[in-house]
Each structure stands twice: as structure tokens, then as C-alpha cells.
Amino acid sequence: MAKAASKAERRRKRGRPIKQDVARTDSGRISRAANANEPPDKVAKEARMRLHGVSKEDASQPEAGTVIGRMKLSGELSKAQYDGLIRYSMTRERYMIAMGVPDSLRTRAGGVMNVAPDESDIGAVEAWGRVHNAVSEAQRQSNGNLVAALNFMVTRDEYYPHMVGDLRVVSNALVRHYGIDAREQIT
């Protein structure tokens, strides 16, 4: 019996000793990240403050992660304009999914492509047609390039200061199209 205990002791001492009090990943391996114990949102907040010049209070807002969100936080866009642009973005994304565009973030029907369109797909295509007509009408009445402002600043999430005016014009058209109350809303 004593001999069996000594064998178990020897088995236990094999290998490298386990390091105590170190950060580990979910799989149990030692984390090599420099700031593994910091929450991920803290890293995101610091990056927003450093890269975009956002204040500490604004960096904690989810809107600070996009160009139009930062414009809303800085007062360049009203809440109604921001809401119109967000709804445009959601309509566009749903249209891309319905059309089966390969570079869209998600595919419908659980990743299965080449499925016959259902009612929601047809509704998404019709909704996109109505939004496209509203933007086209605003473009006909404006001297700027509203479609480029939507493409670069909303879809691609790139900031171009010379397009801010055009973005405001097209966001006002989207506010009218979606029927959003244009009076400043209290949040």
C-alpha cells in the first residue's frame, strides 16, 4: 500500500509546476495579453478617447463607436437626424441580406444561400426602393452629392468634413421619409 502511494506522489510531481496568480484565457492557458485583467470596454473607451478625441463621458456611450454617433454627441447632428441615418443603415443592411450580397455581415435562413425570397425579403426590397426614391428626390433638389455622403460617412464609417453639410441635408430627407419627429427629443 505504501508503495502505491509513492507511485501516485511521483505521478503528481511530473511536469512543470503550475504558475499561480496569473491571468488565464477561457481554455485555461496563460494569457499573454499585456492588460488581460482589464475589462474590454475600458480598452475600447481609451481607444475612442485617443483616436477620435472624444471625452471620457462620451467614450462610454455606444454612439461613440461610429462617425454619425460621434457627430450626434458633438452636436453636429440632432437626435432625429441620427435616428434617420440609423434607420437608413438598417434598411440598407436588410436589403443587402435579402438580395444575398456575399459581403453582407449575415445571410438569411441560417447561412443557406439560393433560397426563394420570402415575404420579409420582398418587404425589404420594397422598403429599400422607397428609401432610394426619397434620397433621389433630395438629390435632385440639392447641389451636393448626398449619395456619396451616405456611402462614405454612414456605410463605410469614414469621416470627411466637407461632406457634413450634405449628410445633414440627406438626413433631413430621411427624417421626413421615416416620419421621425424632427423636434429635439429628450433622451
Side-chain angles (χ1 to χ4, degrees):
M1 196 78 174
K3 196 172 195 178
S6 64
K7 248 185 188 180
E9 266 182 39
R10 280 191 302 234
R11 239 183 246 130
R12 195 173 2 150
K13 291 189 179 193
R14 286 184 189 164
R16 188 185 324 179
I18 297 174
K19 292 183 180 179
Q20 301 297 327
D21 300 327
V22 292
R24 297 189 178 271
T25 63
D26 292 338
S27 64
R29 293 182 177 164
I30 294 176
S31 174
R32 297 185 299 175
N35 48 7
N37 295 329
E38 293 182 5
D41 61 334
K42 180 181 179 194
V43 176
K45 289 176 194 175
E46 290 173 353
R48 288 175 184 162
M49 290 187 313
R50 184 178 67 250
L51 295 174
H52 303 298
V54 180
S55 69
K56 189 173 184 176
E57 296 79 33
D58 287 346
S60 63
Q61 300 294 323
E63 291 95 359
T66 63
V67 167
I68 59 173
R70 288 188 296 274
M71 290 175 69
K72 176 191 169 239
L73 292 173
S74 70
E76 291 181 84
L77 291 176
S78 70
K79 179 162 178 18
Q81 290 172 325
Y82 174 76
D83 291 341
L85 292 171
I86 290 296
R87 287 192 55 188
Y88 165 83
S89 180
M90 292 185 327
T91 304
R92 181 187 178 281
E93 180 181 343
R94 182 63 189 109
Y95 170 73
M96 294 296 190
I97 292 169
M99 295 305 294
V101 176
D103 64 349
S104 63
L105 297 176
R106 288 178 247 150
T107 57
R108 61 182 162 80
V112 177
M113 300 298 282
N114 299 328
V115 177
D118 57 358
E119 286 184 28
S120 65
D121 291 340
I122 295 169
V125 171
E126 290 172 355
W128 176 252
R130 290 189 298 270
V131 169
H132 181 72
N133 289 340
V135 171
S136 297
E137 180 61 32
Q139 179 64 60
R140 281 192 287 278
Q141 298 173 1
S142 174
N143 292 333
N145 192 346
L146 307 182
V147 176
L150 281 173
N151 183 25
F152 285 105
M153 297 183 80
V154 177
T155 305
R156 295 185 186 184
D157 199 37
E158 300 171 2
Y159 182 72
Y160 295 100
H162 66 281
M163 292 185 173
V164 171
D166 295 336
L167 186 69
R168 286 186 189 134
V169 170
V170 74
S171 64
N172 288 335
L174 290 170
V175 165
R176 285 190 302 275
H177 170 72
Y178 288 118
I180 299 171
D181 188 11
R183 290 173 285 174
E184 198 62 36
Q185 300 163 354
I186 300 171
T187 56

